[in-house]
Amino acid sequence: MKLKVAIQGIKGSNHHQVATEFLGKDIELVECLSFDKLIDRVLDGTADKGVMAIENSIAGSIIPNYNLVYHNNIHIIGEHYLSIHHNLMVLKGQTMEQIKEVRTHPMALLQCMEFLKQYPQLKLVEDVDTAETARQIQEKQLKHVAAIAPTVAAELYGLDIIAPEIQTIKNNATRFIILKKQNKVLPKEEINKASLRFITDHKRGSLATVLNVMSDCNMNLTKIQSLPVIETPWKYAFFVDVTFEKYDHFSKAKSLLEIMSEDFRVLGEYKNALKG
């Protein structure tokens, strides 16, 4: 049986590309038009694994996704970085002068804003997915409407690219995490990155003390994101990514952090995609 993989979006999206690059082409896609639905499909067993964008090198963190992972007790079993390429595409025969509206995912709009500012007459419309907007243009034969989507979407849905590579910053990458309902156990010698979540108390220097422990245990902090604890006003949880050379160093840090912080949880242990 093929591995079933939940993605945000549809065939031709960046999530689809990550799924095939990380898990192989012989997979069955479970298309979801929201991250909440993606999590639901992993939890209810419809999908064996999920692929979820978590941060972009331009736009920053996709903050709600951190809480989705934590509150649903989903495990991060891997990560993948994808260079993002945005293209303006239309029905065959349409020209730039005929376009009145551009539809795409809000993140894609944000990442292409310098290009779009050249055409103030265009109406910018946020949609659920890049590839889905491309498919709608073809299925509904929408004239005067353009989508911003990956090249593969133009190929899949028979559209013309009238402006390639329109992202503002050419070195634009998104980090994706690979999710599973139960944790996948890698050999310890292969694990060199982890995602953690914890709460510190209100004492002065509490966070600094925790970060010092990580440093003393030879861990490199690659990401820290604070989010409010909804149930307790003015209290914050920290989502942290760390890399390390030896799993023993991480084990030592874990035991110390469990004592020093509140509600400590390891969200995932996996391979660092940027190493080697």
Side-chain angles (χ1 to χ4, degrees):
M1 290 181 63
K2 287 186 177 182
L3 185 73
K4 295 179 180 178
V5 182
I7 63 168
Q8 191 274 318
I10 66 169
K11 191 174 182 182
S13 64
N14 288 319
H15 278 78
H16 175 208
Q17 184 175 341
V18 171
T20 57
E21 288 182 5
F22 191 89
L23 298 166
K25 294 185 177 180
D26 192 27
I27 58 175
E28 181 180 332
L29 289 182
V30 179
E31 298 174 346
C32 308
L33 293 184
S34 73
F35 289 117
D36 292 82
K37 292 295 183 186
L38 187 159
I39 294 291
D40 289 344
R41 297 295 79 83
V42 175
L43 289 174
D44 67 19
T46 304
D48 303 302
K49 295 178 180 178
V51 172
M52 173 188 278
I54 196 71
E55 61 179 311
N56 177 263
S57 59
I58 299 171
S61 299
I62 306 174
I63 289 177
N65 287 358
Y66 285 90
N67 273 331
L68 277 176
V69 171
Y70 170 73
H71 286 296
N72 290 285
N73 202 23
I74 291 283
H75 297 275
I76 302 171
I77 61 165
E79 65 175 3
H80 189 81
Y81 291 82
L82 181 70
S83 293
I84 303 299
H85 303 277
H86 291 307
N87 307 278
L88 195 69
M89 55 193 69
V90 295
L91 280 177
K92 289 189 178 296
Q94 291 272 287
T95 64
M96 191 72 217
E97 292 70 31
Q98 294 173 297
I99 302 307
K100 299 178 181 178
E101 184 176 297
V102 176
R103 299 180 187 175
T104 192
H105 190 276
M107 191 72 77
L109 283 176
L110 182 66
Q111 294 169 6
C112 299
M113 202 52 69
E114 287 305 309
F115 172 85
L116 296 170
K117 283 179 182 176
Q118 300 174 65
Y119 305 94
Q121 75 279 10
L122 294 176
K123 180 182 179 183
L124 306 182
V125 179
E126 295 183 355
D127 213 326
V128 291
D129 179 55
T130 54
E132 173 64 18
T133 56
R135 182 170 70 176
Q136 287 177 9
I137 287 173
Q138 181 57 252
E139 286 185 351
K140 299 178 181 179
Q141 289 293 292
L142 298 176
K143 295 182 178 180
H144 314 297
V145 177
I148 297 174
T151 304
V152 66
E155 296 168 356
L156 282 170
Y157 305 116
L159 301 181
D160 281 345
I161 293 177
I162 55 172
E165 301 287 342
I166 64 170
Q167 64 273 11
T168 301
I169 299 175
K170 301 310 175 187
N171 186 19
N172 175 13
T174 294
R175 176 180 175 236
F176 294 78
I177 50 177
I178 316 303
L179 305 171
K180 199 167 184 284
K181 188 175 180 181
Q182 290 85 25
N183 196 16
K184 178 182 179 182
V185 179
L186 285 172
K188 289 182 179 179
E189 59 270 16
E190 293 185 21
I191 297 171
N192 54 16
K193 189 169 184 178
S195 295
L196 317 172
R197 190 260 193 195
F198 58 85
I199 298 171
T200 60
D201 59 34
H202 283 298
K203 292 178 183 177
R204 185 176 63 186
S206 294
L207 178 60
T209 303
V210 169
L211 298 181
N212 283 334
V213 166
M214 294 181 185
S215 178
D216 291 343
C217 292
N218 299 303
M219 291 195 294
N220 180 39
L221 182 73
T222 62
K223 174 76 179 179
I224 183 166
Q225 178 73 54
S226 65
L227 289 180
V229 179
I230 298 171
E231 303 83 8
T232 312
W234 311 118
K235 200 162 193 178
Y236 290 85
F238 295 93
F239 291 81
V240 169
D241 291 335
V242 292
T243 59
F244 41 88
E245 293 295 330
K246 294 182 180 179
Y247 190 86
D248 287 347
H249 294 158
F250 175 59
S251 291
K252 180 182 177 182
K254 271 197 299 185
S255 26
L256 290 171
L257 293 175
E258 283 173 350
I259 298 168
M260 296 173 60
S261 61
E262 301 174 32
D263 199 20
F264 175 81
R265 188 190 300 174
V266 177
L267 303 177
E269 302 176 6
Y270 47 96
K271 289 182 183 180
N272 180 7
L274 292 182
K275 183 165 183 173

